Amino acid sequence: MIFEDTDFAGMLDACRGLGADIIMGSSKGYSLSRELSIPLVRAGFPIHDRIGGQRTLHVGYRGAQHFSTEP
């Protein structure tokens, strides 16, 4: 599910209600990920806790391959 025009408190409530298994977003979603005890896949900008993270490819065959094999 994709949320538009919401804040992290709204996303936290929605993720709890939906039983989310994974979160995709910037590094700012780290606290949400920790509170729900589910993994955060860092995508977009800003990614300030991984060196070069904002340059990681996320689309297409190479992006899917990187997503499934890299930590």
Side-chain angles (χ1 to χ4, degrees):
M1 181 168 265
I2 297 173
F3 297 102
E4 293 182 18
D5 195 31
T6 189
D7 59 2
F8 283 106
M11 289 191 306
L12 179 62
D13 292 337
C15 289
R16 280 190 180 134
L18 293 170
D21 296 323
I22 193 169
I23 298 172
M24 292 185 77
S26 69
S27 293
K28 295 183 183 256
Y30 179 76
S31 59
L32 181 73
S33 166
R34 289 301 239 177
E35 189 162 337
L36 294 170
S37 298
I38 57 176
L40 169 66
V41 176
R42 288 162 178 84
F45 186 80
I47 298 179
H48 49 76
D49 57 351
R50 301 286 188 266
I51 295 174
Q54 69 275 12
R55 295 177 178 256
T56 302
L57 182 64
H58 295 285
V59 296
Y61 178 79
R62 286 181 51 213
Q65 186 178 27
H66 183 269
F67 173 74
S68 63
T69 59
E70 296 295 318

